[in-house]
Amino acid sequence: TVDESELLTVPDGWKEPAFTREDNPRGLLEESSFATLFPKYREAYLKECWPLVQKALSEHFVNATLDLIEGSMTVTTTKKTFDPYAIIRARDLIKLLARSVPFEQAVRILQDDVACDIIKIGSLVRKRESFIKRRGRLLGPKGSTLKALELLTNCYIMVQGNTVSALGPFSGLKEVRKVVLDTMKNIHPIYNIKTLMIKRELSKDPELRSQNWERFLPKFKRKNLKKRKEPKKKNVKKEYTPFPPPQPESQIDKELASGEYFLKESQKKRKRIEEIKAKQADAIKRRQEERNKAFIPPKEKPVVKAKKAATEKKIDIEAIKEKVKNAKKKKLGALPVEEVKLKIAADEKKKKKK
């Protein structure tokens, strides 16, 4: 009996054996070719690195031609080509070179454990301003978000125009595609980066490999911070009725109802003149009221009466008279009576001691 978890897991360091000529000694029956166009600004770079491209493909017995007049690159198999998948890898190589991926990174596609994915993001967002904003969000400040994504997925990512080119292992490409599509759906890449960081830590634990990781992963809820502006005019739907609305009354019907239809022309004219005069009189009255408003005095604020000064204390006239009499009795510069008495007592004591 073998444990199912052991069957599902791949042993560490295991690699699929390389495809050799012994696996396909007779080669290919037919010649296959792929071509792709490249933009004008890539012409100078491709001319410079094309000898290296030919050298890398010649190891897999695939021919490569660069047509600068038509602006295209073509790869074809030869009689010596034994690997049927080599032409697919060569096609991916020229696609990546056309998408501004440098040759040093693009040549890795020829390895067995490396794949590529070109994600088209141009048609995912309607507004051009929103598209540029979200694409910039994928890059992050000074490319920090993109660098973090590359480290977590072990993939090389190139954001160019309306496409995102990714190069790396299959598991990493799957995560890159999810993050890119979520970013275009207005989900910030930092949420997916947090999830990837947690998954990376969980994968190191051998006990958790066969378990469900949902309980460890964070759950982010969407928040609509801005409330939707309500329209000024609200269209209220009327209740549906199978019957048509009543026919509106015509001018003749209105005249018949009011009895005006049976009046003579002179009477109708007089009535119209009276209505006009009544309107004119109302207008003159309103105008006159507006003019008279300028002559109406404004309401004055009530005058606040000053509080009466507190009643003065009653003056004791008799006490003042006594003070004046005492002052008259005193000589100018004389000592007070109490001090004089003390001085006399002191002199008497001195005489007794002698």
Side-chain angles (χ1 to χ4, degrees):
T1 57
V2 183
D3 190 12
E4 287 184 7
S5 60
E6 289 180 8
L7 294 171
L8 292 170
T9 55
V10 179
D12 293 332
W14 182 85
K15 276 190 178 182
E16 195 173 339
F19 193 87
T20 58
R21 186 172 282 281
E22 292 172 5
D23 298 320
N24 187 19
R26 294 183 181 181
L28 305 175
L29 294 171
E30 300 243 347
E31 186 186 275
S32 302
S33 65
F34 288 102
T36 186
L37 298 172
F38 60 86
K40 186 75 176 173
Y41 63 85
R42 290 291 287 169
E43 187 177 319
Y45 180 78
L46 290 171
K47 274 170 71 178
E48 191 180 337
C49 73
W50 196 250
L52 297 170
V53 175
Q54 286 179 323
K55 187 182 177 182
L57 290 174
S58 64
E59 292 174 7
H60 298 270
F61 304 102
V62 176
N63 285 337
T65 53
L66 178 67
D67 192 348
L68 296 173
I69 297 163
E70 289 185 3
S72 66
M73 293 179 281
T74 312
V75 287
T76 54
T77 56
T78 60
K79 289 180 181 179
K80 291 182 179 180
T81 310
F82 61 87
D83 187 359
Y85 200 72
I87 189 66
I88 304 296
R89 288 190 184 131
R91 178 202 65 183
D92 291 341
L93 173 64
I94 58 172
K95 270 189 180 181
L96 291 168
L97 289 169
R99 294 286 173 191
S100 299
V101 177
F103 170 75
E104 291 78 12
Q105 293 291 339
V107 77
R108 286 171 55 210
I109 195 68
L110 299 174
Q111 298 171 17
D112 286 340
D113 56 345
V114 178
C116 76
D117 189 10
I118 295 168
I119 307 155
K120 293 180 180 178
I121 56 172
S123 58
L124 296 176
V125 184
R126 287 183 182 180
K127 289 183 180 178
R128 185 71 183 168
E129 293 82 9
S130 301
F131 169 73
I132 292 162
K133 208 178 210 179
R134 290 174 193 181
R135 188 179 64 182
R137 203 178 288 164
L138 188 65
L139 293 165
K142 296 181 181 179
S144 58
T145 307
L146 198 68
K147 189 68 182 172
L149 201 60
E150 284 180 349
L151 291 168
L152 289 166
T153 57
N154 297 322
C155 293
Y156 173 81
I157 305 164
M158 182 72 188
V159 181
Q160 178 70 21
N162 294 333
T163 57
V164 177
S165 305
L167 186 78
F170 290 99
S171 58
L173 292 174
K174 188 181 176 184
E175 296 293 343
V176 169
R177 177 170 275 272
K178 184 182 179 297
V179 173
V180 170
L181 294 177
D182 282 353
T183 306
M184 290 295 121
K185 289 175 187 173
N186 204 18
I187 298 166
H188 203 281
I190 195 68
Y191 299 123
N192 286 309
I193 285 168
K194 280 184 180 178
T195 308
L196 287 170
M197 286 170 77
I198 293 162
K199 281 182 179 177
R200 194 178 193 179
E201 292 299 318
L202 291 169
S203 63
K204 291 176 183 177
D205 192 352
E207 292 179 5
L208 294 169
R209 280 186 177 179
S210 58
Q211 294 181 19
N212 189 11
W213 291 351
E214 284 295 321
R215 58 202 169 106
F216 300 111
L217 300 177
K219 292 175 183 178
F220 302 106
K221 292 180 181 179
R222 298 190 80 176
K223 290 180 181 179
N224 293 327
L225 298 175
K226 287 184 180 179
K227 290 184 178 179
R228 184 177 171 271
K229 289 182 180 178
E230 292 183 357
K232 288 180 181 178
K233 292 181 181 179
K234 290 184 180 180
N235 296 326
V236 182
K237 286 187 177 181
K238 295 177 182 177
E239 290 183 8
Y240 173 75
T241 53
F243 306 105
Q247 193 174 359
E249 289 185 344
S250 64
Q251 190 65 27
I252 295 165
D253 292 337
K254 288 175 184 178
E255 287 178 0
L256 285 167
S258 61
E260 194 181 338
Y261 184 79
F262 303 102
L263 296 172
K264 291 178 182 178
E265 192 63 36
S266 58
Q267 289 173 329
K268 287 180 182 179
K269 194 175 182 181
R270 197 183 306 121
K271 193 177 180 182
R272 280 198 295 273
I273 291 163
E274 284 173 2
E275 285 175 358
I276 291 162
K277 283 181 178 179
K279 283 181 182 178
Q280 285 175 351
D282 288 339
I284 290 162
K285 191 179 179 182
R286 281 199 303 274
R287 219 175 294 133
Q288 196 65 37
E289 285 174 0
E290 286 291 326
R291 285 174 186 167
N292 291 338
K293 277 181 184 179
F295 301 103
I296 297 166
K299 289 181 179 179
E300 293 181 1
K301 291 179 181 179
V303 180
V304 179
K305 291 180 180 179
K307 292 180 180 179
K308 289 181 180 179
T311 54
E312 294 178 358
K313 293 177 181 179
K314 290 180 180 179
I315 299 162
D316 193 355
I317 298 164
E318 295 295 328
I320 293 166
K321 283 180 179 178
E322 286 290 328
K323 282 181 181 180
V324 172
K325 281 180 182 178
N326 292 334
K328 281 179 180 179
K329 286 177 183 178
K330 288 177 184 179
K331 291 179 181 179
L332 191 64
L335 292 167
V337 177
E338 290 176 0
E339 285 185 15
V340 171
K341 287 177 180 178
L342 289 168
K343 200 172 183 182
I344 292 162
D347 290 340
E348 285 176 356
K349 283 179 180 178
K350 281 178 183 180
K351 284 176 183 179
K352 284 177 182 179
K353 281 177 182 180
K354 286 178 180 179

